[in-house]
Amino acid sequence: MSLIVQKFGGSSVADADRVRNVARIVTETYKKGNDVVVVVSAQGDTTDDLIAKYKEIDPNASERERDMLLAAGEQISISLLAMAIQSMGCPAVSLLGWQAGFRTSSSHTSARIKKVDPTRIRNEIAKKNIVVVAGFQGIDKHDDVTTLGRGGSDTSAVAIAASMHADLCQIFTDVEGVYTADPRKVPTALKLSEISYDEMLELATLGAQVLNNRSVELAKKYGIELEVLSSLTNKPGTIVKEHTKMEKLLISGVAKDEDIVRISVTNIPDEPGLAFKLFSILSAKNINVDIILQSIGRDKTKDISFTVNKDNGQAAVDLLTEKFVNRHDGVSISMNDNVAKVSIVGSGMESHAGVATDMFEALYDANINIHMISTSEIKISVLIRKEYADKAVRILHDKFFPEV
Ligand code: ADP
Ligand code: ASP
Ligand code: MG
């Protein structure tokens, strides 16, 4: 007998038929003699709809109340799924995040899981229940409801698998696994049979939302193998694990992120300490900076450009205007949201020269101008105009995965 954690995303539980479909998968697993913990997201576009609702009341609504609202989406799907499982003759109980033992930090709308106390889940399993847990939510030290950030249910599932030492953690979604590019945008994308944590972490961080990046981080930390597979077809998916047996692919995937903006601070006096000052203003407010470019100094001034998530764009400009730009003569700031980051990821790059050249050549052939570049051992990212993002993904995919 094994303990299996199965997570189902929003599209997998979008309507009554899909909920019944999930109930069938879960009950089949249970009837084979396994203990089953199921983690679910809100149905379909529910979370987006709830966000639209609070914006109708107040776009700047307090984060505590936003969490209270957003957590409602998962409450609907867990209860419906538990009912569907019961109607198929199996015992089931649904639990909200706090009932399932999710303790989190207090950073509302992007809380971090501090620990999962699985006592209640274990008690329910001992009673032979299939346990259906609300993903994406928990409770902080003040007993306030928190949410983990968009796509957070993947992390909930991995956290349960880690805290309960589950034998298997399956992430069911609306595609058949992890592909070499988003299969909805690139029809020739290939399904990977396996991928390493490090490559998956890069892909997820760089925009492949098939897995939330924090879930991959957690899976790596606790050595939890993940299987990403479709809830709609009965086919083997992609295994995410430490060491892959496959011969190293040069590139394992192409990803894009359109949820970023570029901020440029120009005419900064060219003297030591100002870059530190600028970025410490942002880090003090937990604003993460991504690609950074500093121009070579001219006329005793320099320019610094960097990218941040678009949700933080205006806050970053306001902060820097108040605490940096207004305090240094001649310095100015601007924000550009017509940008996207397109990246190639692959551990094979480490031992192959020329990958960057191939990437830049493909973009040049397509007449796509590169604004910024950033590299690590296993990825290369470029910043380009947003309207070219899909085309860039396609041409890079064609370049590195030519059809045979
Ligand atoms: P869920 O609701 O199940 O959590 P998501 O919408 O969060 O599903 O993630 C699945 C989606 O991720 C797919 O529908 C696909 O369009 C997108 N995606 C982006 N990049 C990739 C990739 N490299 N491989 C597979 N899917 C990807
Ligand atoms: N329902 C949440 C969201 O839409 C969490 C998730 O889907 O993982 O972001
Ligand atoms: Mg998701």
Side-chain angles (χ1 to χ4, degrees):
M1 192 174 66
S2 301
L3 170 63
I4 301 183
V5 174
Q6 296 183 318
K7 180 259 170 179
F8 295 87
S11 50
S12 297
V13 290
D15 56 31
D17 282 342
R18 293 275 175 97
V19 171
R20 275 191 284 269
N21 173 58
V22 169
R24 261 190 301 275
I25 297 173
V26 170
T27 51
E28 269 171 30
T29 311
Y30 176 82
K31 285 178 185 163
K32 286 181 189 150
N34 300 299
D35 294 334
V36 188
V37 181
V38 192
V39 175
V40 267
S41 305
Q43 291 185 287
D45 296 329
T46 303
T47 308
D48 291 327
D49 296 344
L50 292 173
I51 290 171
K53 272 189 194 301
Y54 89 67
K55 287 189 171 162
E56 272 174 19
I57 300 286
D58 175 6
N60 300 315
S62 78
E63 292 188 328
R64 181 193 183 279
E65 299 311 326
R66 277 152 64 178
D67 273 353
M68 192 60 109
L69 178 69
L70 294 198
E74 272 69 11
Q75 179 159 1
I76 297 173
S77 50
I78 53 169
S79 49
L80 291 175
L81 180 58
M83 291 171 198
I85 295 170
Q86 289 167 358
S87 75
M88 290 177 188
C90 290
V93 62
S94 62
L95 299 177
L96 291 166
W98 66 269
Q99 295 174 301
F102 275 85
R103 309 297 309 199
T104 74
S105 69
S106 295
S107 32
H108 283 287
T109 74
S110 58
R112 295 218 153 230
I113 298 171
K114 287 196 172 274
K115 80 170 206 199
V116 182
D117 171 0
T119 311
R120 173 77 188 269
I121 300 181
R122 283 198 200 287
N123 290 343
E124 297 298 344
I125 286 177
K127 290 189 236 162
K128 292 286 155 221
N129 274 316
I130 294 174
V131 187
V132 184
V133 177
F136 178 56
Q137 55 176 264
I139 196 169
D140 72 0
K141 61 175 187 246
H142 309 294
D143 284 350
D144 283 330
V145 171
T146 53
T147 66
L148 308 179
R150 298 308 304 269
S153 300
D154 298 332
T155 314
S156 308
V158 177
I160 290 182
S163 69
M164 300 187 72
H165 308 288
D167 300 287
L168 184 61
C169 182
Q170 294 179 306
I171 309 288
F172 288 87
T173 183
D174 57 359
V175 290
E176 287 178 6
V178 179
Y179 285 71
T180 48
D182 185 341
R184 296 185 193 289
K185 299 276 172 157
V186 182
T188 52
L190 308 165
K191 183 165 86 182
L192 299 166
S193 59
E194 23 177 64
I195 183 168
S196 69
Y197 291 127
D198 288 339
E199 289 170 298
M200 190 63 236
L201 186 56
E202 287 286 6
L203 277 180
T205 306
L206 295 167
Q209 88 268 27
V210 61
L211 279 179
N212 179 275
N213 58 351
R214 274 161 61 187
S215 72
V216 185
E217 230 166 50
L218 207 60
K220 179 178 161 73
K221 183 167 172 192
Y222 291 98
I224 308 286
E225 278 189 20
L226 305 178
E227 184 182 3
V228 180
L229 68 173
S230 166
S231 62
L232 300 168
T233 62
N234 191 10
K235 293 193 181 157
T238 302
I239 307 289
V240 188
K241 58 182 183 175
E242 185 70 50
H243 296 292
T244 54
K245 285 194 297 292
M246 271 186 340
E247 201 183 317
K248 263 192 187 176
L249 284 174
L250 181 59
I251 301 295
S252 55
V254 184
K256 75 156 180 187
D257 185 355
E258 296 185 340
D259 293 335
I260 54 171
V261 293
R262 180 179 54 177
I263 294 175
S264 301
V265 185
T266 49
N267 279 325
I268 303 170
D270 193 11
E271 56 193 56
L274 286 185
F276 163 66
K277 194 165 162 194
L278 192 156
F279 290 115
S280 56
I281 293 167
L282 297 175
S283 61
K285 292 285 176 192
N286 283 327
I287 297 180
N288 279 333
V289 170
D290 189 26
I291 310 180
I292 299 175
L293 187 76
Q294 177 177 308
S295 68
I296 27 172
R298 62 176 145 70
D299 301 333
K300 298 205 171 67
T301 67
K302 61 190 172 191
D303 302 339
I304 295 181
S305 301
F306 55 90
T307 58
V308 296
N309 187 281
K310 75 169 187 314
D311 294 339
N312 292 327
Q314 197 51 51
V317 170
D318 293 346
L319 256 174
L320 289 176
T321 302
E322 184 200 331
K323 294 189 189 284
F324 191 89
V325 177
N326 290 347
R327 297 184 189 180
H328 295 94
D329 281 347
V331 178
S332 53
I333 187 165
S334 62
M335 180 165 82
N336 181 350
D337 62 3
N338 183 12
V339 291
K341 183 170 58 174
V342 173
S343 312
I344 56 173
V345 172
S347 53
M349 269 185 220
E350 279 175 296
S351 50
H352 278 81
V355 179
T357 314
D358 288 348
M359 180 183 192
F360 303 153
E361 183 184 30
L363 294 168
Y364 167 62
D365 286 344
N367 212 10
I368 296 173
N369 195 25
I370 301 171
H371 296 305
M372 287 169 135
I373 299 170
S374 108
T375 64
S376 78
E377 281 169 358
I378 64 166
K379 67 121 203 229
I380 305 169
S381 300
V382 294
L383 197 75
I384 59 174
R385 282 168 74 105
K386 200 174 260 173
E387 61 263 36
Y388 298 138
D390 284 336
K391 183 177 173 192
V393 170
R394 270 195 314 276
I395 60 134
L396 290 173
H397 193 270
D398 286 350
K399 177 90 180 179
F400 291 103
F401 302 95
E403 278 186 275
V404 277

